Amino acid sequence: MSERNSPTPLYHRIYSVLRERIVNGYYRAGVAMPSEAELAASFNVSRITIRKAMEILTAESLVTRTRGRGTFVSEQASDNNFNRAVVADVQGLLNYLNAVGQSTKLKVVSLDKGIAPPRISAQLGISPTSELVRAVRVREMQRMPYSLSIAYLLPQIGDSIKRQDLTSITMIDLVQRAGADVEHVEQVMTATLADEIAAEHLEIPVGAPLMRVNRLFFNKQAVPFYAAEIFYRADRYEYRLSLRREPGKDFLLQNS
C-alpha cells in the first residue's frame, strides 16, 4: 500500500478496514487480533503505520491492548449499536447487483481508456492525469432505459475486460474474474438532474430528476480500484429499505 496520491492517510485507510472487520465480527470479541508484525506484513506497511491505526481503534474502545499479551477486540465492540447500524454486508450488495443483472438487459455505449473526472481520480487516490478504463452502459427494463452506469477502473483490472463481455456480465463479476477481491464498498446516494448525456441515453428531458448512486470498491489492502456512478430514472427507480427492531430492544424517548 502507498500513501502517494491518496487523499486519505494510509494509517486511516487501514484503521477503516480493521474497524469494518471488528464491527462485522471478522475479529471476534475477546479473541486476540493479529500482531502488529502480522498486520504490517499483510498490508505491506510499517509497524508504525499499523500502530497509528490501532491507536484510533483503542481510543474508540473497540480494542484493548495489553503489554505482553496482545490486542483484543473489546466486548463493547460487539454491543456498539451505532457501529452496527452504519455497516452493511458487502455480500448483500453483490447479491442485489446480480439480481438486477438477471432482470435487466445491458447495452454497451463505450469502452475506452482516458483521464477520469477529478472527483473520480480523487476517490481512487490517483493522479488527475492518470488514465483509467471507462465503461459506459445503459441498463434496460421492459425495453425502456432504466439506468446509465459509468465504471472507472484501474488499468490492472480494467484492461482484461472485453466489450462483448459487457453486454451480458455484471461489472462486479468481471472485476472479480480479473482477480480483484471486493472487501469493502462505500456507497453514496444523491438526487441530481439529467445533463445532456444522461438525457440522451435515458430518453428523458434535460433537467429531469435522477437518482445518482456512487460506489467505491476497495480490495483487501484497503486500496480503491473501481468507482462507479449510476444514474437512475426517477420514474423507474425505487429505493426500498426494510428496518426491523432488534429482539428485546425498545425505542427510548429522551427529552431535549
Side-chain angles (χ1 to χ4, degrees):
M1 296 182 68
S2 172
E3 287 186 284
R4 189 175 183 180
N5 296 327
S6 174
T8 306
L10 179 56
Y11 72 86
H12 198 277
R13 288 153 55 196
I14 293 176
Y15 146 76
S16 298
V17 172
L18 295 177
R19 182 179 181 277
E20 293 293 310
R21 291 178 178 177
I22 291 171
V23 171
N24 285 319
Y26 185 91
Y27 299 131
R28 292 181 297 165
V31 176
M33 292 181 61
S35 66
E36 287 184 358
E38 291 171 329
L39 289 173
S42 176
F43 286 101
N44 193 26
V45 298
S46 69
R47 292 184 62 173
I48 294 176
T49 300
I50 296 296
R51 191 169 300 129
K52 292 177 69 175
M54 299 302 291
E55 287 173 354
I56 304 177
L57 294 173
T58 303
E60 292 184 349
S61 299
L62 293 176
V63 301
T64 56
R65 312 183 75 187
T66 305
R67 184 180 298 275
R69 294 189 62 230
T71 301
F72 294 79
V73 176
S74 67
E75 296 293 340
Q76 178 180 340
S78 61
D79 295 330
N80 193 319
N81 292 325
F82 176 77
N83 285 334
R84 289 189 296 173
V86 299
V87 176
D89 183 11
V90 170
Q91 189 59 47
L93 172 62
L94 302 186
N95 291 340
Y96 164 77
L97 295 178
N98 284 328
V100 170
Q102 294 173 7
S103 60
T104 57
K105 183 180 179 180
L106 281 168
K107 181 177 69 176
V108 180
V109 176
S110 63
L111 175 64
D112 53 24
K113 183 181 287 187
I115 297 174
R119 66 182 181 281
I120 299 298
S121 298
Q123 288 177 1
L124 291 172
I126 61 174
S127 166
T129 59
S130 297
E131 286 193 335
L132 294 173
V133 174
R134 185 185 69 164
V136 181
R137 299 187 292 179
V138 173
R139 194 172 288 279
E140 297 181 345
M141 180 183 293
Q142 298 175 344
R143 299 183 180 180
M144 291 181 61
Y146 171 72
S147 67
L148 170 67
S149 65
I150 307 174
Y152 300 91
L153 303 111
L154 296 182
Q156 55 265 40
I157 300 298
D159 279 345
S160 63
I161 295 176
K162 307 302 181 183
R163 187 183 177 98
Q164 58 267 28
D165 294 332
L166 291 171
T167 61
S168 58
I169 305 175
T170 63
M171 185 61 72
I172 195 62
D173 283 338
L174 290 174
V175 299
Q176 291 182 113
R177 291 183 185 185
D181 292 315
V182 181
E183 180 73 11
H184 171 58
V185 183
E186 293 182 357
Q187 176 171 285
V188 178
M189 303 178 66
T190 55
T192 188
L193 301 177
D195 60 12
E196 69 277 15
I197 298 175
E200 176 186 356
H201 293 298
L202 294 177
E203 299 178 10
I204 54 177
V206 172
L210 295 175
M211 175 64 73
R212 178 176 61 196
V213 177
N214 178 261
R215 296 191 184 108
L216 189 60
F217 294 78
F218 296 78
N219 61 20
K220 291 183 178 180
Q221 288 73 44
V223 177
F225 64 91
Y226 163 33
E229 286 192 323
I230 308 98
F231 300 88
Y232 295 93
R233 283 180 48 156
D235 61 340
R236 307 208 70 202
Y237 179 77
E238 180 182 74
Y239 179 75
R240 185 175 299 179
L241 181 64
S242 177
L243 302 175
R244 296 183 180 181
R245 186 198 303 264
E246 292 187 55
K249 300 289 186 179
D250 293 324
F251 290 113
L252 298 179
L253 300 180
Q254 296 180 340
N255 296 324
S256 58

